[in-house]
Amino acid sequence: MALKTPEEFVQSLADLHLQIYLFGEKVDDYVNHPLIRPSINCMAMTYELAAMPEYEDLMLATSHLTGEKINRFTHIHQSAEDLAKKVKMQRLLGQKTGSCFQRCVGMDAVNALYSVTWETDQAKGTDYHERFKKYLRYLQEEDLVADGAMTDPKGDRSLPPHQQPDPDVYVHIVEKRDDGIVVRGAKAHQTGACNSHEIIVMPTIAMREGDEDFAVSFSCPANAEGVSYIYGRQSCDTRKLEETDLDVGNMRFGGQEALMVFDDVFVPWEHVYMCGEIEFSGALVERFAGFHRQSYGGCKVGVGDVLIGAAALAAEYNGVARASHIKDKIIEMTHLNETLFSCGLACSYEGVKMPAGNWQIDMLLANVCKQNITRFPYEIARLAEDIAGGLMVTMPSAQDLADEKIGPIVEKFLVGTCDTPVIDRMRVLRLIENLTLGAGAVGYRTESLHGAGSPQAQRIMIARQSNLNHKKELAKAIAEVGKPWEKSRVKKPTAVAG
Amino acid sequence: MADAGAEERRVKVVYCGGCNPHIDREAVAADLPQDDPDVPRGATVHVSGCLRACASDHQLVAEGDGRAGAGAEGASAGPERPPVIVVAGELVDGVPTPSSELAAAVTRKLKE
């Protein structure tokens, strides 16, 4: 099977007839729905760029299973260079869409499961790895999008899964049959779920004794019987329903999150990759999170490139591009953005080859990467708003600009530098608005904070791997802690003659 | 990486550079069975201080090492291929091992 074209991807998505609900109604023609289509365009871009020779080095990889060229989003990393190319590919896609393009979660899920299934088999004598490799080959050969579904709604966070008043707040096994399992529950905040052909479910936390039914990982088609999606709202989302696209800011692209519901879904054994092995659930969570924290060192950087460019254009259109404080703010935004990229690359180049044969990022540096992501985009966004000026949030609408009577007034007073059309100035300001507080801010800001784990999750991992005892020993050695101190050798400083 | 005088020893030790040691690398090397006749001559132990595994070129299991449990891609290790063990922080060939038991775990593997 060849790589899919963007058109084939969109058609294949329509053919799934997913059960999607939005504003309390089932959406049948979801590929043409104005709220959903921008997110589909993002995903389609992962196919479009893969077909372009000038992006092939990043977008394609060679499958270690078949030796065939595949989309990198379905690839198991085979080297540190592969890990770095992943980050660069994500930056490229962030640049091309100015948005979350959603395909990373599946890539990070397959790479985490690859080593965890192998290690489970070594310890328990199971055959999860071979099952998983067969499934992976299917994803690669059909060039499919898989949603990596980890986050459960979690209910009362003080209680473990098996003590929840309603166990459905964690995806769990409700029945084991000769031919497979039946699962129930939900996964929250599912990025790109309605743009996926397949779902890969993983546990959301390290499971303990009593939680065996919740330690479950499996894959199923996105249109499996019993699976439905409730589409998540985004800031300013109904602007996409307006007749004009100017006020959206990013007309073609956008992110997507959904609540994914499993209502007694049957999964055959050949697609089950964890079933009660609580001792491996923590490793799966950590590895998926680690890969995803690396991802943000690419995708958010690409969106940051767009925002920095928009801020620089706004300054130009305002006639202040040469002001020293503007130049300095652009430098600061660039410095922060490239620092994030450095973290993404660093955890890649310090990656290791796992016993299963795949390559995994350095966990400490991946968590440092994501911790910075929880902060720097906010500062980049603040600086962009600073440069853009208040007009970004007080500007009249596209309808006003188009109005026969009011339009000329808007044009007269929204003029910037005389060679810049007012419409272009408005477009750039709307783009900044989109990324800093509109629909795009879902991906650029809040997703940067909570996606791949909230800040505290990274701090726990950083603490665990910080090697603090070594640092204390270094300090002791330099300060000569523990060395006998001879008081008698202490002399008062001699006055310098002068 | 540095070779700790392997020519006169039964087990060759290859250290990482030591910038971020989570374990006492020298202590692990000192406890290896250099005089044990059950350990094949020419065996190599890569000792990295942390999980980055710099001593073994970032591999948690040595390339081509085919002992049981030595990774998914190991080739068959015959008598002409002495064992190669990787210590990376508190991992021995990718298996979590407390720092106090690293040398003992390596010794067991060298005798397999």
Side-chain angles (χ1 to χ4, degrees):
Chain A
M1 182 76 182
L3 294 162
K4 279 186 171 49
T5 65
E7 295 75 23
E8 287 169 342
F9 161 68
V10 175
Q11 186 57 51
S12 67
L13 200 59
D15 292 344
L16 291 173
H17 303 293
L18 300 172
Q19 305 294 306
I20 300 174
Y21 295 87
L22 173 59
F23 295 141
E25 291 179 353
K26 186 166 176 298
V27 183
D28 291 323
D29 187 15
Y30 48 83
V31 297
N32 291 310
H33 193 287
L35 250 70
I36 301 174
R37 183 63 193 218
S39 69
I40 295 174
N41 291 340
C42 274
M43 194 70 89
M45 187 60 83
T46 70
Y47 289 90
E48 186 175 333
L49 295 184
M52 299 168 76
E54 60 267 45
Y55 300 119
E56 182 179 315
D57 183 52
L58 295 182
M59 296 301 303
L60 298 183
T62 301
S63 168
H64 75 295
L65 297 176
T66 64
E68 298 293 323
K69 283 283 184 191
I70 54 171
N71 192 300
R72 188 174 293 282
F73 280 102
T74 65
H75 184 50
I76 298 298
H77 313 300
Q78 297 297 303
S79 63
E81 192 61 34
D82 261 355
L83 290 166
K85 282 187 177 180
K86 171 198 167 188
V87 172
K88 293 175 185 177
M89 171 184 72
Q90 290 167 314
R91 183 172 189 169
L92 171 70
L93 276 154
Q95 292 170 347
K96 295 293 185 187
T97 60
S99 172
C100 167
F101 41 86
Q102 313 145 49
R103 203 173 172 182
C104 314
V105 280
M107 172 175 52
D108 294 334
V110 295
N111 276 278
L113 268 165
Y114 193 85
S115 60
V116 172
T117 53
W118 189 87
E119 288 168 25
T120 308
D121 289 354
Q122 295 298 305
K124 314 282 275 192
T126 45
D127 66 344
Y128 292 132
H129 190 62
E130 284 308 311
R131 289 182 198 176
F132 182 68
K133 278 205 297 189
K134 196 173 164 191
Y135 174 66
L136 177 67
R137 190 176 172 138
Y138 165 67
L139 290 182
Q140 292 181 344
E141 290 181 345
E142 299 294 325
D143 195 11
L144 299 177
V145 177
D147 173 52
M150 177 163 279
T151 308
D152 292 286
K154 296 198 283 281
D156 183 343
R157 272 68 168 169
S158 70
L159 298 174
H162 73 279
Q163 289 179 6
Q164 293 287 333
D166 179 358
D168 294 352
V169 293
Y170 286 83
V171 169
H172 61 116
I173 302 165
V174 291
E175 188 184 351
K176 285 183 189 170
R177 299 182 191 164
D178 289 344
D179 52 351
I181 58 174
V182 178
V183 296
R184 188 186 300 161
K187 292 290 184 182
H189 330 302
Q190 288 308 294
T191 302
C194 306
N195 293 335
S196 300
H197 305 98
E198 287 280 319
I199 302 166
I200 301 173
V201 165
M202 300 162 283
T204 197
I205 54 170
M207 299 294 172
R208 308 275 182 250
E209 202 175 332
D211 291 331
E212 284 78 3
D213 286 341
F214 301 84
V216 61
S217 177
F218 60 88
S219 61
C220 66
N223 61 352
E225 192 176 342
V227 176
S228 60
Y229 308 84
I230 305 170
Y231 206 85
R233 290 212 67 168
Q234 296 183 332
S235 174
C236 308
D237 53 4
T238 48
R239 287 194 191 184
K240 293 174 185 172
L241 300 176
E242 296 172 7
E243 291 297 311
T244 171
D245 50 14
L246 169 63
D247 289 349
V248 176
N250 185 348
M251 282 74 84
R252 285 180 57 207
F253 302 105
Q256 177 199 101
E257 313 288 336
L259 178 65
M260 176 190 286
V261 180
F262 296 86
D263 185 9
D264 288 358
V265 176
F266 173 72
V267 183
W269 284 115
E270 63 180 303
H271 290 136
V272 177
Y273 315 117
M274 177 180 287
C275 186
E277 292 84 2
I278 51 175
E279 64 271 44
F280 289 93
S281 56
L284 184 52
V285 174
E286 280 184 12
R287 289 177 197 179
F288 171 75
F291 279 122
H292 211 44
R293 289 166 193 176
Q294 169 212 27
S295 286
Y296 281 29
C299 63
K300 304 305 178 201
V301 178
V303 178
D305 287 329
V306 175
L307 185 54
I308 293 167
L313 283 174
E316 269 181 40
Y317 296 169
N318 286 347
V320 295
R322 297 174 71 181
S324 61
H325 73 97
I326 296 290
K327 285 183 189 169
D328 193 57
K329 283 163 188 159
I330 298 288
I331 290 167
E332 178 65 7
M333 294 166 81
T334 305
H335 157 70
L336 292 169
N337 208 40
E338 298 300 334
T339 302
L340 298 176
F341 189 50
S342 305
C343 291
L345 291 181
C347 69
S348 304
Y349 285 121
E350 287 289 83
V352 291
K353 185 178 184 182
M354 302 293 282
N358 64 313
W359 280 70
Q360 181 172 289
I361 35 74
D362 180 86
M363 282 290 181
L364 174 60
L365 297 182
N367 278 277
V368 168
C369 176
K370 175 65 204 339
Q371 182 74 191
N372 284 333
I373 296 281
T374 68
R375 300 173 181 174
F376 294 1
Y378 283 84
E379 179 63 6
I380 294 170
R382 189 187 72 80
L383 290 165
E385 289 183 53
D386 182 351
I387 292 170
L391 187 61
M392 182 185 94
V393 292
T394 63
M395 200 162 52
S397 67
Q399 287 83 353
D400 292 321
L401 182 66
D403 186 80
E404 205 172 301
K405 183 180 169 193
I406 304 169
I409 302 170
V410 173
E411 284 226 51
K412 174 181 169 67
F413 291 112
L414 262 56
V415 72
T417 50
C418 54
D419 56 345
T420 305
V422 166
I423 181 68
D424 286 344
R425 188 173 179 225
M426 291 177 75
R427 282 180 173 134
V428 164
L429 291 175
R430 287 293 182 215
L431 174 57
I432 297 172
E433 181 194 35
N434 171 281
L435 288 171
T436 56
L437 49 88
V442 174
Y444 190 60
R445 292 175 60 134
T446 312
E447 192 176 278
S448 291
L449 191 65
H450 290 296
S454 303
Q456 193 59 23
Q458 290 111 56
R459 298 183 85 78
I460 290 167
M461 289 295 288
I462 290 168
R464 202 183 290 169
Q465 298 173 70
S466 64
N467 204 4
L468 192 57
N469 285 335
H470 177 238
K471 291 172 172 54
K472 287 196 278 192
E473 291 304 319
L474 293 173
K476 282 182 185 173
I478 299 291
E480 301 187 329
V481 170
K483 185 180 172 185
W485 189 50
E486 296 173 43
K487 257 191 216 174
S488 59
R489 296 185 63 187
V490 176
K491 293 192 175 119
K492 289 182 181 170
T494 322
V496 179
Chain B
M1 285 184 271
D3 181 349
E7 61 282 354
E8 68 272 13
R9 296 175 179 180
R10 190 170 282 270
V11 181
K12 178 181 172 183
V13 176
V14 179
Y15 287 116
C16 70
C19 71
N20 181 36
H22 286 236
I23 58 169
D24 186 342
R25 298 173 304 147
E26 296 88 337
V28 173
D31 287 345
L32 294 177
Q34 292 294 359
D35 303 320
D36 191 328
D38 292 339
V39 173
R41 229 169 244 292
T44 303
V45 179
H46 295 274
V47 183
S48 294
C50 74
L51 302 179
R52 290 170 190 148
C54 295
S56 52
D57 200 16
H58 297 285
Q59 303 192 38
L60 295 182
V61 176
E63 190 94 41
D65 190 86
R67 290 161 300 103
E73 297 169 359
S76 299
E80 71 287 1
R81 299 186 65 183
V84 183
I85 314 285
V86 173
V87 176
E90 291 189 310
L91 294 179
V92 175
D93 282 349
V95 177
T97 309
S99 57
S100 58
E101 296 171 25
L102 289 169
V106 172
T107 301
R108 275 197 302 277
K109 281 181 160 282
L110 287 171
K111 293 180 177 180
E112 278 174 0

